[in-house]
Amino acid sequence: MKVLLILLVLLVPLSVFSQQGDPDIVIINGKVIDGTGNSWYYGNIAIRDGKITGIGRDIVAGHAKKVIDAKGLIVAPGFIDVHTHLEGDEDRNPEATNFIMDGVTTCITGNCGSSHTDIGKYLSWIDSLKISINVATLIGHNDIRKAVMGRANRDATPAEMKQMEAIMEKAMKDGAVGLSTGLIYIPGTYTKTPEIVDLASIAAAYKGVYSSHMRDEGDSVIQAINEALTIGREAHIPVEISHFKLSGQQNWGRSKETVPMIEAARREGIEVTIDQYPYTASSTSISTLMPDELLADGQDSIKARLLRPELKKYAMDYMIGRLKKRKLKHFSYAVVANYEPDTSYNGKSIEAINLMKGRKHNVKAEAETVTDIMMNGGASAVFHGMSEDDVKRIMQYPFNMFASDASIRVFNSGMPHPRGYGTNARVLAKYVREEKVISLEEAVRRMTSLPAQKFQLKDRGLLREGYAADIVIFDENEVSDISTYEKPHAYSKGFHYVIVNGRLTVDNEIHNGTRAGQALFGPGKTL
Ligand SMILES: [Zn+2]
């Protein structure tokens, strides 16, 4: 009897232990940067069933199935990229290698007004597809508007407004994290502020955010920021201003005006934050060179307009005028990234393409080359138009996040902007290690807990017991971006291990094919 009792006493704690079980992974000897912005410390982390089950100096490797010795390495939460455009590329490369190899474990897509309109269907498709990163999505205003009124250049009628509101509300209930706009794109450019306030109010009712690709990032940037803040104020919604920048040489240095506007708005009580990609070139559709009013109603209409000599002249004069404002003599700053009808254009500037076609070396001929490209369906392009000083000044703002503004890359396809491969590594290498613009702990905070807080990803962005085990382990001395404008298809270096939902995905700097990402839902799903 006595023996039995002793056995029982021994068995009880043992059974408790076996319920908790051995950790799947224990990370030892690393310098832990937990995402709060606090200093690094030596600590160990235990992971089981996708969660962090223990963290601190007291955690031992014990019977862990896998032990990662992170001696000399930084252990941080997986990076959250708040501004991506995954749509259409998820199943082309479900391993999302460009993101994973840059330390990204969660992407927020549906930005710049562009997304799926059936968010429930999209998120369940993401779950069934099984990709290597977690995905949350905004719903894009341009796609809501297109679904109801096409690319029409006019205000919505009350009946159309009702239809747009219904799409918006359903998206939030289905788990969108908020509303995005792309007010330089069609049909966003045709939309007035009250329409956005109306839809953003619905996002606010379901605890979402408003992410804005503003109406202008150049000459009219002040008005554009004010419009984003007005939407925040009137719709009572947190605002994220996307890829915060100053475009065009004539606007360089104006971050001295624009960053204080963000600070002032926060003092007023508007919950506004910003994000940036750490590069001086942007990347978007070549159509952004053209006057908005020529872009309505789709490609056939664009072509028909450009076939009319007076409208073609109007487009060319507009482009030449804007180039002069930039104090440039040629379209050398605009480099085609992907032009479907002729891929020999890819990687060449408009100036170079124009010469290649045997045309005169002047702006008029170059503007004509742009209209030719537009007649044939347009192209994506990289625009070299920002100043390094502005990039750094924006970076020093503490409530600025880092975001790639990129999609999942298919290796060696097109000449995309390098930010899709190297955003985080570039911040950690160039701006933290080499130029000391911000500290390592601060950079990690902006890549992790700040975005998680803003987008309400409640169990991510920090290294905490009970949180999802999204973890990156990197060498702070070695981490670097390899992708360049000339050779974009190159993975970042220095991320030795990446863990997504407790599953080792990068092992010794190699993506091992694990696809453990999940769809993440906004708060409206459970309200
Ligand atoms: Zn954008």
Side-chain angles (χ1 to χ4, degrees):
M1 187 65 189
K2 228 179 183 177
V3 175
L4 198 68
L5 263 177
I6 290 168
L7 261 176
L8 269 175
V9 168
L10 276 173
L11 276 173
V12 169
L14 267 178
S15 70
V16 168
F17 184 75
S18 71
Q19 249 176 30
Q20 286 182 344
D22 298 328
D24 297 326
I25 302 173
V26 171
I27 303 161
I28 57 168
N29 297 328
K31 286 177 173 175
V32 173
I33 295 183
D34 69 2
T36 58
N38 286 341
S39 58
W40 66 262
Y41 67 97
Y42 289 114
N44 301 337
I45 298 176
I47 297 163
R48 188 184 150 88
D49 292 337
K51 304 273 182 210
I52 295 169
T53 53
I55 178 166
R57 280 191 288 270
D58 56 329
I59 301 298
V60 292
H63 294 93
K65 288 171 202 139
K66 167 136 188 123
V67 176
I68 296 174
D69 187 350
K71 190 172 174 17
L73 303 176
I74 301 294
V75 182
F79 302 153
I80 299 170
D81 189 332
V82 296
H83 192 95
T84 66
H85 295 280
L86 307 187
E87 289 78 13
D89 292 324
E90 301 91 335
D91 51 356
R92 294 177 74 207
N93 177 14
E95 293 186 1
T97 327
N98 55 308
F99 284 115
I100 285 284
M101 295 303 286
D102 196 43
V104 174
T105 55
T106 296
C107 281
I108 295 172
T109 191
N111 279 283
C112 303
S114 176
S115 74
H116 288 263
T117 44
D118 189 339
I119 296 302
K121 197 170 146 199
Y122 176 67
L123 290 173
S124 61
W125 178 70
I126 285 291
D127 263 337
S128 67
L129 181 64
K130 297 259 173 286
I131 70 175
S132 292
I133 48 172
N134 303 305
V135 177
T137 186
L138 298 146
I139 181 154
H141 164 256
N142 284 342
D143 282 293
I144 299 177
R145 202 177 210 262
K146 275 187 238 166
V148 173
M149 47 191 294
R151 291 161 204 263
N153 181 2
R154 59 173 173 81
D155 290 343
T157 64
E160 286 166 339
M161 248 357 272
K162 283 242 156 3
Q163 287 181 55
M164 287 198 267
E165 287 164 2
I167 296 172
M168 184 71 224
E169 182 162 23
K170 183 173 183 302
M172 293 309 293
K173 282 182 176 167
D174 285 348
V177 292
L179 171 71
S180 79
T181 54
L183 300 177
I184 66 157
Y185 299 116
I186 308 302
T189 49
Y190 307 140
T191 306
K192 301 197 181 95
T193 313
E195 177 178 316
I196 305 161
V197 171
D198 185 279
L199 297 173
S201 302
I202 297 169
Y206 291 91
K207 312 303 170 199
V209 304
Y210 167 56
S211 289
S212 181
H213 180 147
M214 299 188 294
R215 215 173 276 276
D216 194 87
E217 297 173 329
D219 297 351
S220 303
V221 67
I222 304 291
Q223 294 92 308
I225 293 172
N226 277 328
E227 181 182 32
L229 297 175
T230 298
I231 293 162
R233 192 182 293 117
E234 292 186 4
H236 304 287
I237 190 165
V239 178
E240 175 73 14
I241 300 183
S242 305
H243 39 61
F244 203 74
K245 68 167 83 70
L246 277 308
S247 283
Q249 203 174 329
Q250 73 275 24
N251 295 306
W252 289 2
R254 293 183 73 196
S255 56
K256 284 181 195 150
E257 301 165 57
T258 59
V259 173
M261 286 177 76
I262 303 302
E263 289 178 351
R266 292 193 65 84
R267 277 197 298 279
E268 183 200 321
I270 298 173
E271 191 188 323
V272 57
T273 48
I274 59 176
D275 57 73
Q276 76 175 149
Y277 45 83
Y279 296 85
T280 51
S282 62
S283 171
T284 188
S285 166
I286 201 128
S287 68
T288 54
L289 292 174
M290 305 276 293
D292 297 335
E293 54 275 35
L294 298 192
L295 300 172
D297 311 318
Q299 181 58 31
D300 289 347
S301 311
I302 294 169
K303 197 171 172 179
R305 287 189 198 103
L306 290 176
L307 283 169
R308 288 169 55 188
E310 75 281 12
L311 288 182
K312 183 175 170 181
K313 183 174 183 306
Y314 171 68
M316 284 170 55
D317 288 348
Y318 175 89
M319 284 191 277
I320 293 165
R322 287 220 308 180
L323 193 77
K324 275 194 186 142
K325 261 195 156 180
R326 282 177 172 262
K327 299 174 187 159
L328 295 175
K329 291 197 167 63
H330 293 282
F331 282 91
S332 49
Y333 81 107
V335 178
V336 168
N338 195 28
Y339 178 59
E340 296 288 345
D342 185 352
T343 52
S344 74
Y345 286 21
N346 298 358
K348 294 193 178 73
S349 72
I350 294 295
E351 183 186 16
I353 292 166
N354 186 61
L355 288 172
M356 189 171 85
K357 292 180 75 167
R359 289 181 168 169
K360 283 195 180 137
H361 192 202
N362 62 38
V363 278
K364 205 175 158 213
E366 290 167 13
E368 183 146 27
T369 295
V370 175
T371 59
D372 285 353
I373 290 172
M374 284 306 298
M375 298 264 287
N376 289 311
S380 59
V382 169
F383 298 95
H384 295 266
M386 289 173 252
S387 93
E388 186 67 28
D389 286 348
D390 284 322
V391 168
K392 286 185 195 164
R393 197 173 292 115
I394 292 164
M395 190 172 288
Q396 282 166 333
Y397 182 60
F399 307 123
N400 167 56
M401 307 165 204
F402 305 108
S404 67
D405 196 3
S407 186
I408 293 169
R409 297 283 190 242
V410 176
F411 206 75
N412 280 341
S413 165
M415 287 289 281
H417 195 295
R419 65 196 183 191
Y421 283 95
T423 287
N424 292 293
R426 184 172 170 85
V427 170
L428 297 169
K430 178 176 164 67
Y431 295 104
V432 172
R433 184 175 65 228
E434 289 161 21
E435 301 187 17
K436 299 181 173 52
V437 177
I438 54 171
S439 74
L440 178 57
E441 287 86 347
E442 173 68 359
V444 169
R445 180 182 70 79
R446 313 255 210 103
M447 293 167 179
T448 59
S449 69
L450 182 62
Q453 175 184 293
K454 181 79 190 208
F455 288 84
Q456 300 280 284
L457 307 175
K458 291 188 179 174
D459 62 346
R460 292 176 202 266
L462 287 170
L463 297 177
R464 286 275 185 276
E465 208 175 299
Y467 271 48
D470 292 343
I471 296 173
V472 298
I473 301 175
F474 63 93
D475 185 332
E476 63 180 305
N477 300 309
E478 181 193 27
V479 65
S480 43
D481 56 312
I482 309 298
S483 178
T484 60
Y485 297 107
E486 294 75 28
K487 286 190 177 157
H489 295 283
Y491 300 119
S492 294
K493 279 215 168 82
F495 292 95
H496 289 223
Y497 302 92
V498 179
I499 297 167
V500 181
N501 292 313
R503 303 265 309 277
L504 193 60
T505 306
V506 171
D507 188 356
N508 270 316
E509 296 200 69
I510 292 168
H511 194 314
N512 64 11
T514 300
R515 287 155 60 176
Q518 306 169 351
L520 304 180
F521 296 89
K525 176 97 173 157
T526 46
L527 271 180

